[in-house]
Amino acid sequence: SFPPYPPRTRTPPTESESNGYLRVRCNGGLSQQRSAICNAVVAARIMNATLVLPELDANSFWHDESGFVDMYDVPHFIKTLKYDVRIVMSVPKITAHGKSKKLRAYKIEPPRDAPVTWYRTTALEKLRKYGAIYLTPFSHRLAEEIDDPELQRLRCRVNYHALQFKPNIMKTSSDIVNKLRSEGHFMSIHLRFELDMLAYAGCIDIFTPKEQEILLKYREENFANKTLVYKKRRLIGKCPLTPEEVGLIIRAMGFDNTTRIYLASGKLFGGERFMKPFKAMFPRLENNSMIGSGKLEEDNRGLARSAVDYMVCLLSDIFMPTYDGPSNFANNLMGHRLYYGFRTTITPNRKALAPIFMDMEEGRASGYEERIRQVMFNTHFGAPHKRIHPESFYTNSWPECFCQMKAGNQADRCPPDNVNDVLESQFQNKEDVEAEATNQTDSTSSMETGV
């Protein structure tokens, strides 16, 4: 038995032990920010730093002013991690030359995928020198593969326990899930058939000349200049699946037109003509606008909508990502579902499916359903498996974040059921000892000065 529970073996530094304050600005979409927050907590732990509540650079990506306090349950976040890191709402004020002002954080741009050693040397040196550092941008700025199970478990503790959306987001998500479940099981699909992903992938041949012009312009403005050949990209599995291809896959697997499907996606590129064949196969199609509560309609923020999609997909009976790289949303969801009981996830092998769909494009459709079925039944469906590069730690935290009921190594064993009570007791004892030491110091100082 392998219940997911990242055990702790150390407690966080006290205020007097802290080396300074760590500020970070998390950029990107919802899930990229989420992994950045996990990395920020781990970075604070590595440096014995006090973490200032992470900033979310939501405006540049979403045109949305939402901050951490708008998206996440802050008291829950701080309480869940109180045995791991010290977290404060802001950098404190200091008094200098009779004036009170906020401690200024020294700004650093961390290297991408920086190793633990960078935080223990370069970053820590600046932290001790200035008392506070500001790491920006902070996305993918800590290496995913860390040879320290304690730090990897901390990432999972942040991602799967501490980061909880605010009550209004959780309530909307719950309402949607309950409505979908009232008629039986339901499937969620993350359809990544959007302008940015199609332009990034370079898969434009299926679009009209006008649409191709839009995609090429977007690519030129946002991505590196490369010559991408559609057929080559398709054959190596780099093209996002079309809505129709998604429909053909799930129909070949035996799902019929009564299947309830929740669609999580941004604005689909190419409009209704791409969705029409999918809807014809699976008419019971919903999204957060169609079944969301009035509160969600009023709250039109991109991050909040993405958060609702995330929760509904997390709680769905079956989840199917249609483009798992580089899609932080799909990758993180697969990891989250794996962590919470190996929930069923259907992951299409786009490379293996490509020849089938290319044959269909060229009019050779004979036996396509059986061919699709053979490919799909050779995939795993959310079961545990060893992580192999380039699979992300956030997609598969096996085995670091899964404790064992019977393990030879003490560090791999599951903690006792009352682990929080034990930690609370230890934490309280530590605070009592520190308070007593402080009182003794104050008393001694008073005697020496004669006050």
Side-chain angles (χ1 to χ4, degrees):
S1 178
F2 297 86
Y5 197 111
R8 297 171 173 90
T9 58
R10 295 179 299 197
T11 52
T14 61
E15 185 173 3
S16 61
E17 294 169 337
S18 174
N19 286 314
Y21 294 86
L22 172 64
R23 284 180 60 199
V24 300
R25 181 173 62 85
C26 306
N27 55 307
L30 177 83
S31 294
Q32 186 168 302
Q33 289 175 2
R34 195 177 180 98
S35 56
I37 294 165
C38 299
N39 288 346
V41 172
V42 174
R45 181 71 188 207
I46 291 167
M47 296 186 290
N48 264 3
T50 297
L51 179 66
V52 179
L53 199 69
E55 301 166 25
L56 306 186
D57 176 29
N59 192 48
S60 61
F61 185 87
W62 292 102
H63 306 294
D64 176 348
E65 299 289 349
S66 302
F68 194 104
V69 296
D70 301 304
M71 293 300 300
Y72 295 102
D73 185 332
V74 176
H76 175 81
F77 181 73
I78 294 173
K79 182 181 177 183
T80 305
L81 296 172
K82 76 175 193 175
Y83 305 115
D84 300 294
V85 291
R86 267 189 88 240
I87 301 172
V88 294
M89 297 297 290
S90 62
V91 175
K93 289 185 176 181
I94 56 169
T95 303
H97 309 297
K99 292 183 179 179
S100 179
K101 61 180 182 179
K102 275 196 173 182
L103 176 64
R104 187 171 181 179
Y106 181 79
K107 187 175 176 181
I108 311 173
E109 182 174 338
R112 188 177 174 90
D113 299 321
V116 170
T117 51
W118 184 85
Y119 288 92
R120 287 186 176 146
T121 53
T122 305
L124 183 55
E125 180 189 334
K126 299 297 184 187
L127 182 69
R128 284 174 170 157
K129 181 177 179 180
Y130 295 98
I133 58 173
Y134 183 32
L135 303 184
T136 177
F138 197 76
S139 169
H140 306 294
R141 302 293 159 160
L142 175 62
E144 286 195 10
E145 296 301 329
I146 297 176
D147 190 22
D148 184 339
E150 176 80 9
L151 294 178
Q152 296 293 60
R153 286 194 289 264
L154 176 54
R155 273 175 160 153
C156 291
R157 199 174 302 124
V158 180
N159 205 7
Y160 308 137
H161 296 274
L163 278 175
Q164 185 169 287
F165 294 119
K166 287 191 68 112
N168 64 313
I169 293 173
M170 299 296 276
K171 173 71 166 59
T172 301
S173 306
S174 178
D175 289 347
I176 291 174
V177 170
N178 289 339
K179 189 167 184 179
L180 287 164
R181 279 239 173 90
S182 66
E183 298 183 38
H185 297 302
F186 76 97
M187 174 191 295
S188 63
I189 295 175
H190 183 229
L191 192 55
R192 199 70 169 93
F193 200 71
E194 298 150 348
L195 171 63
D196 62 331
M197 189 51 63
L198 290 162
Y200 173 83
C203 303
I204 68 170
D205 287 34
I206 60 174
F207 296 98
T208 66
K210 180 65 177 173
E211 289 166 344
Q212 289 186 26
E213 188 181 320
I214 294 168
L215 288 166
L216 287 170
K217 185 182 178 186
Y218 188 94
R219 178 170 182 79
E220 186 180 323
E221 292 173 351
N222 294 279
F223 304 116
N225 184 23
K226 287 182 184 176
T227 302
L228 302 177
V229 179
Y230 170 69
K231 284 192 175 182
K232 288 182 180 178
R233 300 290 288 171
R234 179 77 137 151
L235 283 170
I236 59 173
K238 294 298 183 183
C239 290
L241 295 169
T242 69
E244 182 177 13
E245 288 165 356
V246 174
L248 292 172
I249 289 167
I250 55 180
R251 189 171 68 181
M253 293 180 71
F255 295 95
D256 61 26
N257 62 4
T258 65
T259 303
R260 197 82 184 266
I261 296 174
Y262 178 86
L263 196 64
S265 81
K267 185 178 180 181
L268 298 182
F269 189 73
E272 187 62 25
R273 83 172 187 280
F274 282 99
M275 279 302 297
K276 200 170 181 181
F278 185 89
K279 286 180 179 176
M281 286 183 269
F282 296 96
R284 303 187 71 189
L285 192 64
E286 310 278 10
N287 59 31
N288 60 35
S289 298
M290 295 162 76
I291 54 176
S293 68
K295 287 181 183 175
L296 185 61
E297 293 306 311
E298 294 165 18
D299 186 1
N300 199 33
R301 293 174 298 143
L303 273 174
R305 285 182 170 276
S306 186
V308 169
D309 276 350
Y310 187 95
M311 287 307 304
V312 176
C313 289
L314 177 63
L315 297 170
S316 63
D317 300 291
I318 298 170
F319 172 61
M320 180 176 174
T322 63
Y323 196 72
D324 53 330
S327 175
N328 294 300
F329 184 94
N331 285 327
N332 284 21
L333 262 167
M334 287 191 285
H336 209 149
R337 289 175 65 87
L338 179 73
Y339 185 82
Y340 279 116
F342 313 123
R343 293 175 182 265
T344 302
T345 300
I346 300 172
T347 312
N349 183 335
R350 293 186 307 280
K351 186 175 180 180
L353 289 164
I356 305 170
F357 292 132
M358 290 181 79
D359 282 349
M360 293 179 71
E361 281 178 18
E362 294 167 10
R364 299 188 299 274
S366 178
Y368 77 89
E369 277 207 2
E370 181 56 33
R371 290 174 69 191
I372 293 173
R373 195 175 299 117
Q374 288 302 317
V375 170
M376 293 308 300
F377 288 151
N378 283 325
T379 62
H380 60 80
F381 294 89
H385 59 281
K386 186 174 176 61
R387 183 170 70 256
I388 300 172
H389 182 78
E391 190 174 27
S392 165
F393 175 82
Y394 291 101
T395 303
N396 181 9
S397 58
W398 180 278
E400 296 95 330
C401 291
F402 293 75
C403 64
Q404 301 174 28
M405 298 299 286
K406 295 178 181 179
N409 186 351
Q410 181 68 33
D412 294 332
R413 291 183 188 173
C414 293
D417 291 338
N418 65 337
V419 65
N420 283 329
D421 296 338
V422 172
L423 284 166
E424 189 70 49
S425 174
Q426 291 174 352
F427 201 68
Q428 192 62 52
N429 289 342
K430 187 177 179 184
E431 287 178 335
D432 291 344
V433 169
E434 285 165 357
E436 188 177 331
T438 302
N439 290 336
Q440 287 176 355
T441 303
D442 291 344
S443 175
T444 304
S445 299
S446 299
M447 289 172 65
E448 287 173 347
T449 57
V451 175

